[in-house]
Amino acid sequence: MGAEPLRETGPVNNWAEMRAALAACWHPPPDTEGALIAFWFGLDKTGRLRSKPRVTARRLAGDREAAKQFEDAALDALSRCFPMRVTPSFGAILGESPIRLRFVNTPPTTAYQINSNITVFAPQESGRAEPPAR
């Protein structure tokens, strides 16, 4: 699966913008409803991954092929999103913050989204908005 780079936008300047950029990178495959995968990783001050993200949790759904496609889609999202253009001030924060990222193929719920704890829900049909982050 070839990863297309993220469309060029302005540099990311805060955690909310990072969540939006990550959501734009992720496209969960069909037949994986209910699946999730969580990563732990660090970024340097330029928005590059410091090392390979570590999978810290996974709950895969569907048959074997669907589960593999879900995990591959999450890894592809990381490939598309990083390196991520960041502002110098946000880059200084990133260099000090381990990131906990979850890709979840469920309808949005209120999620614990404080700074580097990021949950990205599956895109929903138009007209249905994600609930605000806490």
Side-chain angles (χ1 to χ4, degrees):
M1 216 180 253
E4 291 179 26
L6 179 63
R7 185 179 46 131
E8 189 63 33
T9 61
V12 169
N13 189 44
N14 57 51
W15 294 110
E17 290 177 6
M18 177 179 268
R19 277 191 291 279
L22 287 163
C25 291
W26 186 49
H27 307 287
D31 302 322
T32 60
E33 290 75 15
L36 75 80
I37 189 165
F39 297 97
W40 182 86
F41 57 92
L43 298 173
D44 69 16
K45 65 182 182 177
T46 68
R48 292 188 182 281
L49 289 167
R50 289 186 177 180
S51 62
K52 182 179 177 184
R54 183 180 337 156
V55 175
T56 58
R58 59 170 67 89
R59 181 180 66 223
L60 302 175
D63 62 21
R64 255 193 181 158
E65 183 59 27
K68 180 181 180 339
Q69 288 176 358
F70 183 84
E71 192 160 349
D72 288 348
L75 293 168
D76 283 347
L78 294 175
S79 294
R80 278 192 296 279
C81 266
F82 297 108
M84 182 179 288
R85 283 186 49 217
V86 297
T87 62
S89 60
F90 190 55
I93 294 167
L94 288 176
E96 301 293 325
S97 304
I99 296 172
R100 291 163 191 87
L101 168 65
R102 293 185 320 145
F103 289 113
V104 183
N105 193 359
T106 65
T109 61
T110 301
Y112 185 69
Q113 305 249 31
I114 296 180
N115 297 333
S116 63
N117 291 302
I118 301 169
T119 300
V120 178
F121 291 97
Q124 299 298 299
E125 299 169 22
S126 60
R128 292 174 64 188
E130 285 196 30
R134 282 199 292 187

